[in-house]
């Protein structure tokens, strides 16, 4: 029997069981999947060492659970509906049988190119069915996919390809998002110039006919031509690497978060089913791009594990008209809509009367992910999109957690606007104070660092190629706990409200941007001596980026220098990381030990006149100078 949670009493009962004996609880969950070989030990771990093993000894292939079993029982059910950027182009649909066959053919093609279990394959693709087929084909072969969001620059792509040692790149000629054309292949070419170990480049012709330009390139259609549709799934150990997904942290280069086969599968399937309370056959519309973790877990793997139909949308919510998202919900009769607060706020700005024109009677549940959702946006979503009849699940999780950790269960546990509410079974969140002590449940003020006490199946297992970095970043700050990097508040009933990052990560429109990474990019400009980047509250994006730069000499033309710095960020990271504000300042508030006090910069930007104790600063007078520059800019 699959452990389903359908009442509040179930939730309490499951939670208790899952905490008392996580191994026994998740063994029961895992048994509802096809395993090639059963596991002999459900859970073994030593958190401070970064040693976590679930379902040890078990063998599986996630594609059998995502595809084969459904293709057998429901071959003609749509597995994926693709909605193109431009509504005048036809949408496409792949049934479970068709998807299984497409995956088989590509897997055979990749095998012919020499791709084997454990090899790394990079995907740099728009939201097209080929992205899903490519991910699943890698999974079929046991090759490790590393999907790089198609908004990343060539330099970012090259860094990721090289860090993971990818030998194959799958990309497309180009595509449009809204009214913007992205010449993806040209961007990929720039990256490939510094990636000599890439042996094959598979190109999907998205915009029209494409001719391979050199010996390394092969057209998607040519690779598939003549390939049999059957491809035996590679037996994977539960703890074999499944995929890598890069994410920004507070320091250094982006980390290749590594997930493994068994635990990720169990967690993706289990969390989707219970949080959204789905039934097989439902239509699930997750608006996230597959380049992010939400697109992996709830755009692809989770829906297929639960025999849902997933909607893949290539475009943006507001193009070519502001009712585009609602139109898609209607057109494909979506039962669940899962999107980000940024999108909700942007659509809210356009007015409630737009979704009011669409009845959207198929909708049953609404989801929110990626950043804190403010109360106003929550109510707007509930009233105008859900028409007051769809529960909202505010789902808190991270690339590192593989799937949702804290969330209301739709229609089962109560939702509270702006609160993620309760942990899922198997998840033991705690709040720690500065000294690393757990804040007791009955403490008068429960605000602290959000940490998790013991491993859940979907937890990341390592940073690819840098296990020590995994341990140091997440497991050593507070020994014995997984540190999330978020701050949270807890009420007396144990509900959690996420406040936001407590490290140097800024969450812009739900995209994580490491301030250090951005500073590194800006500092590469020849006139910039040093810089500091902070997040500032923004009505739509949640947070916006503000950069403070010290130049070797005062810039003669500030606006020209600003646009040079913006271009530099586009080149080094991608357009989505371009700062909204750039200030040229004579100095930065630093402690005597040289640490930049970003907190003070945030206060100045907020117009806060009380900066608190600034005596530890090397030169407190810079604060006045910075304040004047910021104020002057506001006036302009
Ligand atoms: C933030 C996205 C508040 C949080 C799945 C986290 C949230 C970071 C929520 C992870 C939420 C995600 N409420 N904040 N419901 N969901 N966050 O890795 O700061 O892209 O640490 O994963 O987004 O971002 P990531």
């Amino acid at each position: 029997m699959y452990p389903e949670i359908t009442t509040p009493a179930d939730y309490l009962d499951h939670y208790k069981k899952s905490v008392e004996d996580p191994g026994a609880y998740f063994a029961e969950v895992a048994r509802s999947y096809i395993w090639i070989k059963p596991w002999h030990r459900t859970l073994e771990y030593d958190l401070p060492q970064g040693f976590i093993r679930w379902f040890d000894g078990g063998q599986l292939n996630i594609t059998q659970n995502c595809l084969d079993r459904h293709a057998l029982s429901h071959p003609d059910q749509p597995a994926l509906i693709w909605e193109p950027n431009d509504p005048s182009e036809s949408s496409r649909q792949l049934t479970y049988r068709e998807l299984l066959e497409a995956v088989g053919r590509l897997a055979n093609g990749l095998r012919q190119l020499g791709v084997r279990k454990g090899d790394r394959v990079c995907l740099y693709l728009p939201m097209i069915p080929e992205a899903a087929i490519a991910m699943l084909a890698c999974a079929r072969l046991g090759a490790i996919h590393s999907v790089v969001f198609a908004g990343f620059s060539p330099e970012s792509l090259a860094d990721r390809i090289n860090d993971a040692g990818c030998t194959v790149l799958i990309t497309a000629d180009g595509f449009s998002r809204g009214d913007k054309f992205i010449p993806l292949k040209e961007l990929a070419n720039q990256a490939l110039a510094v990636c000599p170990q890439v042996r094959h480049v598979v190109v999907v012709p998205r915009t029209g006919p494409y001719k391979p330009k050199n010996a390394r390139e092969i057209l998607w259609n040519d690779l598939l031509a003549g390939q049999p549709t059957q491809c035996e799934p590679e037996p994977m150990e539960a703890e074999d690497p499944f995929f890598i997904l890069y994410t920004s942290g507070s320091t250094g280069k982006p980390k290749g978060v590594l997930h493994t086969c068994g635990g990720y599968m169990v967690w993706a399937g289990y969390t989707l089913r219970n949080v959204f309370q789905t039934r097989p056959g439902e239509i699930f519309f997750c608006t996230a791009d597959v380049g992010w973790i939400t697109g992996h877990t709830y755009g692809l793997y989770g829906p297929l594990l639960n025999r849902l139909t997933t909607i893949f949308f290539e475009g943006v919510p507001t193009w070519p008209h502001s009712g585009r998202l609602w139109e898609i919900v209607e057109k494909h009769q979506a039962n669940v809509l899962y999107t980000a607060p940024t999108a909700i706020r942007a659509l809210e700005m356009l007015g409630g009367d737009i979704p009011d024109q669409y009845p959207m009677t198929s909708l049953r549940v609404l989801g929110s992910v990626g950043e804190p959702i403010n109360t106003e946006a929550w109510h707007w979503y509930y009233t105008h999109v859900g028409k007051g009849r769809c529960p909202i699940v505010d789902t808190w999780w991270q690339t590192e957690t593989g799937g949702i950790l804290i969330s209301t269960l739709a229609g089962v546990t109560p939702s509270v606007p702006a609160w993620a509410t309760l942990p899922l079974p198997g998840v033991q969140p705690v709040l720690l104070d500065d000294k690393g002590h757990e804040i007791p449940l009955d403490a008068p003020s429960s605000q602290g660092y959000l940490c998790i006490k013991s491993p859940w199946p979907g937890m990341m297992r390592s940073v690819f190629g840098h296990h020590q970095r995994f341990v140091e970043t997440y497991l050593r700050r507070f020994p014995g706990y997984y540190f999330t990097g978020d701050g949270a508040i807890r009420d007396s009933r144990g509900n959690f409200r996420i406040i936001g990052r407590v490290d140097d990560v800024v969450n812009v429109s739900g995209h994580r941007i490491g301030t250090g990474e951005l500073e590194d990019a800006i500092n590469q400009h020849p006139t910039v001596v040093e810089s500091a980047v902070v997040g500032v509250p923004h009505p739509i994006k949640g947070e916006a980026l503000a950069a403070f730069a010290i130049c070797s000499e005062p810039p003669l033309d500030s606006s020209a220098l600003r646009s040079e710095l913006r271009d530099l960020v586009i080149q080094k990271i991608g357009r989505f990381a371009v700062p909204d504000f750039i200030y040229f300042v004579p100095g930065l508030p630093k402690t005597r030990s040289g640490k930049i006090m970003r907190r003070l910069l945030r206060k100045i930007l907020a117009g806060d006149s009380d900066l608190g104790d600034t005596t530890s600063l090397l030169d407190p007078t810079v604060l006045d100078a910075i304040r004047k520059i910021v104020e002057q800019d506001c006036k302009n």
Side-chain angles (χ1 to χ4, degrees):
M1 248 297 282
Y2 192 87
E4 278 183 348
I5 306 170
T6 53
T7 64
D10 282 350
Y11 167 73
L12 293 175
D13 178 46
H14 282 239
Y15 191 80
K16 190 160 168 277
K17 280 189 186 140
S18 75
V19 169
E20 282 169 5
D21 191 348
Y25 181 80
F26 285 108
E28 208 179 318
V29 176
R31 271 196 283 273
S32 67
Y33 295 95
I34 301 168
W35 291 78
I36 297 167
K37 200 175 120 205
W39 61 93
H40 51 73
R41 192 170 189 153
T42 314
L43 172 62
E44 196 182 358
Y45 69 97
D46 177 350
L47 220 44
Q49 298 303 322
F51 175 83
I52 302 138
R53 295 184 78 82
W54 280 94
F55 313 113
D56 214 2
Q59 283 186 345
L60 75 151
N61 188 294
I62 191 169
T63 62
Q64 283 189 314
N65 287 290
C66 285
L67 298 172
D68 301 58
R69 57 177 176 158
H70 308 318
L72 209 60
S73 66
H74 295 78
D76 300 323
Q77 185 196 313
L80 184 149
I81 295 174
W82 174 69
E83 180 62 30
N85 178 55
D86 185 342
S88 66
E89 194 181 344
S90 313
S91 37
R92 270 171 70 191
Q93 187 171 302
L94 285 158
T95 63
Y96 270 98
R97 182 183 22 218
E98 288 165 341
L99 185 55
L100 174 64
E101 289 179 358
V103 168
R105 289 172 73 196
L106 180 64
N108 284 323
L110 291 173
R111 189 172 273 160
Q112 211 165 60
L113 293 182
V115 176
R116 297 285 179 271
K117 176 177 170 178
D119 290 350
R120 275 80 62 206
V121 175
C122 180
L123 273 53
Y124 187 53
L125 285 165
M127 277 295 281
I128 49 178
E130 287 78 2
I133 296 168
M135 289 165 80
L136 291 159
C138 289
R140 193 77 172 176
L141 297 176
I144 303 170
H145 60 64
S146 164
V147 184
V148 177
F149 173 56
F152 276 110
S153 71
E155 276 193 37
S156 293
L157 173 63
D159 282 350
R160 286 159 173 75
I161 290 177
N162 289 330
D163 184 77
C166 297
T167 50
V168 173
L169 172 70
I170 305 180
T171 186
D173 55 346
F175 70 103
S176 294
R177 263 193 109 221
D179 56 5
K180 246 197 274 107
F181 178 72
I182 291 112
L184 201 62
K185 185 61 191 2
E186 275 172 35
L187 302 175
N189 285 348
Q190 291 173 38
L192 286 166
V194 290
C195 300
Q197 83 285 11
V198 173
R199 293 193 312 261
H200 303 286
V201 180
V202 181
V203 185
V204 180
R206 167 73 188 99
T207 64
Y210 180 87
K211 277 210 173 66
K213 306 281 185 296
N214 55 49
R216 198 150 64 162
E217 287 187 11
I218 176 159
L219 195 65
W220 173 278
N221 312 47
D222 293 345
L223 185 61
L224 263 64
Q227 294 295 348
T229 52
Q230 281 205 5
C231 175
E232 277 307 300
E234 183 76 29
M236 302 297 289
E237 294 293 325
E239 285 298 340
D240 273 340
F242 178 20
F243 67 81
I244 301 169
L245 186 59
Y246 284 84
T247 192
S248 294
S250 44
T251 51
K253 285 198 171 290
K255 294 180 285 281
V257 169
L258 183 77
H259 284 287
T260 55
C261 295
Y264 176 84
M265 174 181 76
V266 168
W267 197 243
Y270 172 84
T271 54
L272 186 144
R273 174 117 156 208
N274 285 305
V275 170
F276 298 95
Q277 294 285 306
T278 57
R279 289 292 165 266
E282 284 197 311
I283 319 272
F284 197 88
F285 184 14
C286 165
T287 64
D289 192 284
V290 280
W292 309 111
I293 191 69
T294 309
H296 281 59
T297 308
Y298 301 106
L300 186 65
Y301 292 114
L304 297 185
L305 286 166
N306 285 290
R307 191 166 52 79
L308 307 179
T309 300
T310 185
I311 299 179
F312 252 47
F313 175 38
E314 190 187 24
V316 293
T318 49
W319 188 87
H321 60 85
S322 38
R324 181 73 171 124
L325 217 50
W326 323 131
E327 180 180 83
I328 299 172
V329 169
E330 287 282 3
K331 180 173 171 188
H332 301 299
Q333 292 289 293
N335 302 116
V336 180
L337 174 65
Y338 190 28
T339 193
T342 291
I344 299 167
R345 287 188 297 260
L347 293 162
E348 181 188 355
M349 296 279 281
L350 302 170
D353 53 330
I354 297 170
D356 289 350
Q357 293 157 25
Y358 299 82
M360 297 189 268
T361 48
S362 59
L363 280 180
R364 193 176 52 71
V365 176
L366 301 176
S368 169
V369 61
E371 26 163 349
I373 179 165
N374 47 307
T375 312
E376 199 193 321
W378 193 101
H379 283 292
W380 185 85
Y381 197 30
Y382 185 74
T383 310
H384 294 281
V385 183
K387 321 291 182 194
R389 41 169 200 82
C390 303
I392 294 183
V393 290
D394 176 0
T395 63
W396 174 84
W397 60 295
Q398 312 179 295
T399 304
E400 294 87 338
T401 70
I404 298 165
L405 294 199
I406 304 181
S407 173
T408 300
L409 309 182
V412 174
T413 55
S415 57
V416 186
W419 286 70
T421 71
L422 298 167
L424 263 64
V427 178
Q428 297 186 61
V430 293
L431 296 179
L432 300 187
D433 64 18
D434 279 326
K435 297 201 179 70
H437 298 312
E438 279 188 32
I439 301 173
L441 267 169
D442 56 359
S445 119
S446 289
Q447 174 166 345
Y449 298 112
L450 180 63
C451 294
I452 317 287
K453 235 173 163 171
S454 65
W456 60 99
M459 181 179 186
M460 73 183 285
R461 299 296 197 269
S462 194
V463 169
F464 185 78
H466 308 273
H467 190 71
Q468 208 43 36
R469 226 182 134 193
F470 167 53
V471 170
E472 267 148 34
T473 312
Y474 302 100
L475 307 170
R476 284 277 158 85
R477 168 101 187 251
F478 300 111
Y481 300 91
Y482 165 81
F483 174 48
T484 66
D486 279 322
I489 299 176
R490 189 183 49 212
D491 73 7
S492 56
R493 285 160 304 171
N495 289 302
F496 286 87
R497 176 181 190 152
I498 312 302
I499 306 170
R501 303 290 303 195
V502 291
D503 53 7
D504 293 325
V505 171
V506 182
N507 199 330
V508 182
S509 302
H511 298 326
R512 273 166 70 168
I513 296 163
T515 52
E517 229 182 299
L518 201 50
E519 289 159 9
D520 284 349
I522 292 171
N523 294 350
Q524 290 193 21
H525 192 283
T527 65
V528 174
V529 178
E530 198 179 7
S531 65
V533 172
V534 295
V536 280
H538 185 278
I540 292 179
K541 301 190 209 182
E543 279 186 289
L545 293 159
F548 296 82
I550 307 176
C551 297
S552 49
E553 46 198 69
L556 292 174
D557 182 348
S558 308
S559 60
L561 183 55
R562 270 194 196 100
S563 76
E564 282 173 32
L565 293 179
R566 287 194 186 107
D567 286 346
L568 198 57
V569 173
I570 293 173
Q571 183 200 330
K572 300 275 167 201
I573 304 175
R575 195 170 289 280
F576 63 90
V578 168
D580 295 79
F581 310 99
I582 301 177
Y583 303 107
F584 300 111
V585 293
L588 290 167
K590 282 191 183 176
T591 60
R592 291 196 173 82
S593 60
K595 191 175 175 308
I596 299 170
M597 302 279 285
R598 291 187 176 75
R599 181 175 58 83
L600 297 176
L601 295 173
R602 278 193 287 265
K603 283 194 159 196
I604 291 176
L605 286 168
D608 194 340
S609 54
D610 176 17
L611 298 185
D613 183 9
T614 56
T615 49
S616 63
L617 288 185
L618 191 61
D619 174 13
T621 63
V622 294
L623 293 173
D624 272 337
I626 297 173
R627 194 197 303 275
K628 280 201 189 98
I629 290 163
V630 170
E631 281 168 3
Q632 191 59 38
D633 191 75
C634 287
K635 281 190 206 121
N636 289 341

